[in-house]
Amino acid sequence: MSPPDGTRPAPSAATSDAAGAGSRPPATSPPAVCLEFGDAEHVLRVEPWGADSVRVRSARHRVRDDLPGALSAPPAAVAAELGVGPHGSRILTVGRLRVELSPQGHLRFVRTQDGTELLRESVGHFAWPGPRTFTPVGGGRYQLDQRFASCDGEQFFGLGQHSHGRLDHKHMVIDLVQRNGEVTIPFALSSRGYGLLWNLPAVGRVELAANQTRWVADAADQIDYWITTGPTPAGIMANYADATGHAPVLPEWALGLWQSRLRYRTQEELLDVAREYRRRELPLSVIAVDFFHWPHLGDWRFDTADWPDPAGMVAELAGMGVRPLLSVWPSVSVVSENYRPMRDEQLLLGTEHGQPFQHVFPDTQVGGEPLPVVFYDPTDERARDYIWSRIKRNYYDLGFRLWWLDACEPEMYPEQFGNLRYAAGPGRAVANLYPREHVRGFFEHMRAEGEDVPVSLVRSAWSGSQAYGAALWSGDIPATFEALAAQVCAGLSAGLSGIPWWTTDIGGFHGGDPDDPDYRELLIRWFQFAVFCPLLRMHGHREPRDAIPADRSGGPNELWSYGEDAYRILTRQLRLRQDLRAYLHRQMVAAADSGAPVIRPLFFDFPGDPAAWTVEDQFLCGPDLLIAPVTRLGERRRQVYLPAGADWRASATGTDHAGGQTITADAPLERIPVFVRRGAAMDVVFPG
């Protein structure tokens, strides 16, 4: 394969799934059973791609197989049939999914057993544009538009993780771009009974409007999407996991408490906190070594002035049953020891115009002044190998095994996609790949070192990140009740996007005064919500806050930092989390096996209850626990909907309730409403 546009060395064959395009796109042979269409404007191919699923690709001249995307290798052959329909249409049937191709080249997707329409293409105008448009943007690429009909009452779920506070994305425009706290995963689960993956890492948007649904890529080679159906949302998610990769089983130790604040400035400060947890007999699983532990950003090693004996620190923590979480950024400062060799070997993101820098970041060695930084290119296998060589020598060989891949969108202001050049192609065409390829590098190198289940905490993800041990957290969010309410939808959306390992900064990131009674209430309510999330993580930049970087650690953020009353509630909730770990681990096994999210909306397990599709402020933790978070200051009672199809027992009182009704539940500060599905085996003591 020739280098993309002749400007970057081509990736090796090992990373050809993310390789860039050569100047002469190769032709591909269609499968034996598929639908094809062609006219003067474009060609179209529809082929089976897994159980009850098809892949649709359309290009100006020829369909290509060598472009980056989220789909795994072609699945094993599935039973598929070709047929002829009315009015000259052609039909492809793959299990529960039937695809109809009209003589005009328009597609309609229906449920095989009853002919119910799931989705159909729509045209922009009777003459032009049609359902698929290709607008040249230079370099042989196009702005791509794919149009579908809009249906009244249709709901869309998934689509990554967003801060807008809604679970249903209908009537919204969602940018397909990675940002701090905004994670784009272009998979939508529809209430009409299908799932659609926009299999393009290009920057763009999806418009879920009243008059039309439209997927847009700003610059790409061909339209590429995958559609599936199933009898239930669980069936659709299982097909999606088969197509993009199953998550491993999250290790049991990861279900305990993860502790951090803005940062622990020194080795001794971090150890003192871990020792205090042990002295108080509070179970602790993970403690974070955060940013500025390095001399310069991109050195990927410790500043020995503040961290004189990292190996000894790891050993002491291990004796307490605690694992250190090590912050690794993808950024390389111009004064880093790695900048010149990476630049010379073309391992950094390239630029089309101007200086080769994408951001600035403070450097503690020059008084906190911001210096230019550039980002390494994880779509190049050589760059992933280079990073790991430093990580192994400076961290892994000292005993570190758990990675905090912060700022891995990557974070840059202003956004510069049109100016960036990756090994995989132009920035506008491939930028959304970055977080997946970044975590992939750590996962694959850890596996090569013999680690069974590598775990990385990440701030961004793309479709398929789950297969590489990505534990997503929701980024730098406000410390408000409004943000807490939005986190419920954000976590559920991430799960319905295929990411089962999810967490949030308890109490929010930006602010929070540990001495403020109102903030203490927020932290308590947030912790109560997080107890039922896949990961339980204390983090945030608490008051008193200083400019970053300062010669400080940020405000206190340990369980004992919020007063005796809060401490009593938090420690009781932590004991509840310990009791839940066996149940949660079973859900992690189920997530790895079937793609079922650990926390999920009520409709996931009760799709036959119409009311369950409208509830956005409650969730199920596994199949047997219904959680009703409290997201308003001073709220001590709240309405709870109990889905039809099961009876429910209030965990605090033992009172039984029939499903299919809304009740008023008590929510004292000590606990939030939790209900157990009647008949479930639950060996847990819930706070009364």
Side-chain angles (χ1 to χ4, degrees), residues 141-441:
R141 292 178 174 84
Y142 305 87
Q143 177 180 297
L144 304 177
D145 286 35
Q146 171 66 63
R147 302 165 189 258
F148 296 106
S150 176
C151 299
D152 292 340
E154 184 172 13
Q155 299 166 281
F156 292 100
F157 306 97
L159 289 169
Q161 171 197 272
H162 302 282
S163 59
H164 52 58
R166 288 181 52 179
L167 185 62
D168 176 11
H169 301 289
K170 181 67 172 177
H171 303 302
M172 305 189 77
V173 175
I174 304 297
D175 288 342
L176 302 178
V177 60
Q178 310 289 11
R179 298 177 178 134
N180 185 347
E182 300 289 323
V183 176
T184 184
I185 299 175
F187 175 73
L189 175 69
S190 168
S191 60
R192 290 172 64 87
Y194 69 89
L196 188 146
L197 168 69
W198 183 243
N199 189 41
L200 295 172
V203 173
R205 65 189 182 276
V206 56
E207 304 165 355
L208 304 168
N211 64 324
Q212 181 181 91
T213 293
R214 182 163 66 158
W215 294 82
V216 179
D218 287 349
D221 295 81
Q222 64 186 17
I223 290 171
D224 188 348
Y225 64 91
W226 173 87
I227 184 169
T228 190
T229 189
T232 63
I236 293 171
M237 292 303 300
N239 289 346
Y240 177 67
D242 288 344
T244 61
H246 287 252
V249 177
L250 184 71
E252 197 278 337
W253 59 260
L255 296 169
L257 177 64
W258 297 40
Q259 172 62 49
S260 66
R261 60 173 81 159
L262 176 67
R263 63 172 174 147
Y264 295 115
R265 191 180 64 82
T266 68
Q267 174 178 320
E268 194 61 24
E269 183 177 43
L270 181 146
L271 285 171
D272 282 346
V273 170
R275 292 163 185 154
E276 183 65 13
Y277 267 95
R278 187 177 191 185
R279 187 189 70 80
R280 293 172 179 259
E281 298 182 338
L282 298 175
L284 180 65
S285 286
V286 175
I287 193 165
V289 180
D290 208 334
F291 64 165
F292 294 119
H293 70 264
W294 49 68
H296 302 290
L297 188 63
D299 283 346
W300 299 303
R301 63 180 175 86
F302 282 100
D303 181 346
T304 56
D306 290 331
W307 305 85
D309 183 15
M313 178 185 70
V314 172
E316 182 175 344
L317 290 172
M320 295 184 255
V322 179
R323 288 168 169 80
L325 172 69
L326 198 287
S327 178
V328 178
W329 289 47
S331 328
V332 185
S333 169
V334 293
V335 296
S336 166
E337 64 196 27
N338 292 303
Y339 172 70
R340 286 181 180 273
M342 296 188 77
R343 179 198 63 186
D344 294 346
E345 292 297 320
Q346 295 187 318
L347 305 179
L348 304 171
L349 293 186
T351 55
E352 301 284 8
H353 309 284
Q355 295 297 313
F357 308 117
Q358 291 98 40
H359 202 25
V360 295
F361 201 78
D363 192 292
T364 56
Q365 304 297 312
V366 293
E369 288 298 316
L371 297 179
V373 299
V374 67
F375 298 93
Y376 97 102
D377 183 357
T379 71
D380 189 330
E381 183 183 28
R382 300 174 308 124
R384 299 197 300 267
D385 289 345
Y386 184 97
I387 294 288
W388 180 254
S389 71
R390 273 55 185 171
I391 299 300
K392 183 178 187 306
R393 180 182 66 198
N394 298 325
Y395 298 139
Y396 182 88
D397 288 348
L398 300 178
F400 291 88
R401 300 291 186 272
L402 182 58
W403 315 112
W404 184 353
L405 305 185
D406 206 344
C408 65
E409 298 83 14
E411 184 172 59
M412 60 183 75
Y413 308 117
E415 293 168 347
Q416 306 168 42
F417 305 112
N419 187 39
L420 295 181
R421 170 66 60 178
Y422 294 70
R428 286 189 298 170
V430 302
N432 287 326
L433 279 177
Y434 197 106
R436 190 195 70 182
E437 295 303 282
H438 184 40
V439 72
R440 170 189 175 183

Side-chain angles (χ1 to χ4, degrees), residues 250-258 285-286 501 530-531 533-537 574 577-578 580-588 598:
L250 184 71
E252 197 278 337
W253 59 260
L255 296 169
L257 177 64
W258 297 40
S285 286
V286 175
W501 304 355
V531 161
C533 291
L535 299 180
L536 179 72
R537 177 170 173 267
L574 182 58
R577 175 70 175 202
Q578 291 295 105
L580 285 167
R581 284 173 65 161
Y583 174 79
L584 289 170
H585 192 256
R586 292 196 296 274
Q587 309 318 312
M588 295 298 173
V598 176

Side-chain angles (χ1 to χ4, degrees), residues 599-643:
I599 58 173
R600 59 257 206 157
L602 305 190
F603 69 75
F604 189 87
D605 291 82
F606 299 94
D609 180 356
W613 291 83
T614 67
V615 177
E616 299 198 345
D617 63 348
Q618 303 170 206
F619 63 94
L620 294 168
C621 175
D624 297 328
L625 292 176
L626 188 153
I627 315 302
V630 173
T631 59
R632 295 182 181 86
L633 179 66
E635 188 172 56
R636 299 295 182 265
R637 306 185 83 195
R638 64 153 291 171
Q639 299 292 294
V640 179
Y641 179 72
L642 304 174

Side-chain angles (χ1 to χ4, degrees), residues 18 40 61 64 136 161 275 347-348 443 445 485 507 572 575 612 634:
H61 303 293
R64 295 174 57 186
Q161 171 197 272
R275 292 163 185 154
L347 305 179
L348 304 171
F443 182 88
H445 283 102
R572 195 174 183 188
R575 287 194 293 272

Side-chain angles (χ1 to χ4, degrees), residues 26 126 248 438 444 468 553 635:
F126 69 86
H438 184 40
E444 290 181 344
Y468 298 119
S553 307
E635 188 172 56

